[in-house]
Amino acid sequence: MYLAQAFAAQRRGEALSPWQVERRALRPHDVLIEIDFCGVCHSDLHQARGEWGRQLFPMVPGHEIVGRVLRAGTAVSRRRVGERVGVGCYVDSCRRCESCLQGLEPYCAQGMTATYNSLERDGLTPSYGGYATAIVVDEAFTLAIPEALPPDAAAPLLCAGITMYSPLRHWKAGPGMHVAVLGLGGLGHIGVKIARALGAEVSVLSHSAHKEQDALRLGAHAFHCASDFAAQTHLRGAFDLILHTVSSRVDLDALAGLLRRDGTLVMLGISPEPQGLRAFSLISQRRSLAGSTLGGIAQIQEMLDFCAQHGISCDIERIRMQDINEAFERLQRGDVRYRFVIDMASLRA
Ligand code: NAP
Ligand code: ZN
Ligand code: ZN
């Protein structure tokens, strides 16, 4: 057993406050990771505030974790003590179903074990995330963080990065494909960098005019600002692929109208409220509406190596753990360029 210092929401919507988490005694394949940095994803805010269905409290959010292996279980073979490692949005899966055997653990038929706000495979033990000084994880669900990546700016790759990389690869983004990223936040900004590095033509669709310079600096070829994309008639039929990363409701009919024939709108953002789409918006040009989440462990490693190769990491603002509630407020207001990353040294001091 290892006692980690943490920050938790004790009840739905409550401010996060100091707490202690008991990490399990090491099983043969477990590693104890001392956490250096943890990114602040909008999903942390959604869940701590109880905006999605099932939630477990007390909740220690955090699923963009980078740290070092402090101890290793007796049978650990892929990781060594002192190695820099990452943990993303899930820490286990059934490991037997078709998806798991195909390396698509987030789509596990039994449901993945999320890094927090989830139950371990025993169906009883709650999982607690990375807003903490340490975590225990099976080595099979850890990632090697390439030396070339700065550890703080690499942390958000473990959720935001893979959430963008996976659909870009699935829908074969590359030269000749016109990709639009809707929403320039944590997911969006890294999506622009990755899509550009894959060779796609990249546009940003945003409701914040002041982000234009940033969008172009991040690698977008074009920036379109609007609160009403239905009125943007010059963009109708412009894109092959739209990656939706907005955390609240948007007009899906207007968005679908921006797709060319056979184009795909991929839902990544998770608005707390349900939203509708008229059949005409799809059938008129044989368009598709899709969703996507994360990527398998092997693909996360591939994405990290791709980012290291292309010099891609996240634009971050480092914060202290004690400032997390203010950071949530700023994230809600869209006042972050483009990811908060908690420096866990602040919890050890
Ligand atoms: P974020 O940093 O807050 O970015 C969201 C962006 O959405 C904002 O920067 C803003 O971009 C836009 N936006 C926010 N409110 C809006 C509004 N009222 N109208 C129009 N645009 C608005 O959040 P994030 O961490 O990137 O996460 C984005 C969403 O993806 C969240 O819902 C999160 O839960 C979800 N998510 C899903 C997965 C998955 O597996 N599919 C993984 C991670 C996160 P502009 O200012 O440019 O418009
Ligand atoms: Zn996330
Ligand atoms: Zn499975």
Side-chain angles (χ1 to χ4, degrees), residues 41 43 63 159:
C41 179
S43 302
H63 57 206
C159 172

Side-chain angles (χ1 to χ4, degrees), residues 93-100 105 108-110:
S93 68
C94 87
R95 311 186 194 199
R96 286 185 302 272
C97 73
E98 192 185 355
S99 291
C100 286
E105 296 89 347
C108 174
Q110 316 283 323

